[in-house]
Amino acid sequence: ADLMVAWPESHDTYADGSTMDVSESNINKAWALIAARKDVMGLYLARPANFSQLLGAASNTAWAYPEVAAVNQFHNEFVGQGEYVANENGIVSIERGDSGVVLVNCKGTSGDVSVTANKIKDGTYTDQITGSNFTVSGGKITGEIGKTGIAVVYKTDSCAHESHDLDGFCKDCSALIGHS
């Protein structure tokens, strides 16, 4: 995995039309499945509006959506920590270490979930996309995935970095750690 580059689409698959009709939502779900992983290097294509634009002339800014940013921050937060990947009833969970999980609803968007917790410790965690709480208890992760179909769940109040701005955001990982 540490020698692989993975992507939901590339300029080749977009230009030949094979991913042109794939929705931004599904591209972002695929991105979450890639970028949440332990050692995989991911590549997110900034889509052009049409074939006549030069490569790099991005007219679609889905790469800047909150769910993509949250997955990227999760990836950075859990560098060097192990992973446990599972699929339960169309909900893919990628647990990292014992304190974070990315959940992707491969069958739809929002909805209540209850999936097996394999490594993550019991406690209350925050979805970094919606701000809603997820609970880990009795071997289950429960909560509600928001409209993106992606939940990025971990505690940001455990940020170990020392530098935070006046609004409580970590300057290194952009996590909101809760002090004002």
Side-chain angles (χ1 to χ4, degrees), residues 6-162:
W7 57 83
E9 69 178 342
S10 71
H11 62 277
D12 290 328
T13 59
Y14 182 77
D16 78 4
S18 60
T19 61
M20 189 182 297
D21 294 325
V22 176
S23 70
E24 290 176 356
S25 173
N26 282 338
I27 292 291
N28 289 345
K29 286 180 185 182
W31 176 251
L33 296 172
I34 291 168
R37 299 293 308 272
K38 180 178 182 276
D39 290 323
V40 176
M41 169 60 73
L43 175 66
Y44 193 106
L45 173 69
R47 286 178 160 189
N50 59 55
F51 297 129
S52 64
Q53 285 184 291
L54 295 174
L55 186 62
S59 51
N60 177 310
T61 57
W63 51 266
Y65 287 2
E67 62 270 26
V68 175
V71 172
N72 292 342
Q73 290 166 357
F74 177 90
H75 177 85
N76 292 338
E77 180 72 20
F78 290 92
V79 167
Q81 296 191 37
E83 70 179 358
Y84 191 97
V85 181
N87 178 3
E88 198 170 326
N89 299 318
I91 305 294
V92 174
S93 61
I94 302 170
E95 294 180 57
R96 295 291 306 275
D98 62 5
S99 61
V101 62
V102 170
L103 302 163
V104 179
N105 184 353
C106 295
K107 292 184 174 182
T109 55
S110 61
D112 292 331
V113 297
S114 178
V115 296
T116 301
N118 295 285
K119 300 289 183 184
I120 192 168
K121 293 179 182 178
D122 285 358
T124 302
Y125 298 82
T126 304
D127 177 6
Q128 302 304 307
I129 300 168
T130 65
S132 64
N133 286 332
F134 277 74
T135 302
V136 179
S137 179
K140 287 289 184 185
I141 303 168
T142 58
E144 184 178 349
I145 294 179
K147 66 182 180 179
T148 64
I150 303 166
V152 179
V153 180
Y154 63 105
K155 292 182 181 182
T156 57
D157 59 359
S158 61
C159 171
H161 299 119
E162 294 182 14

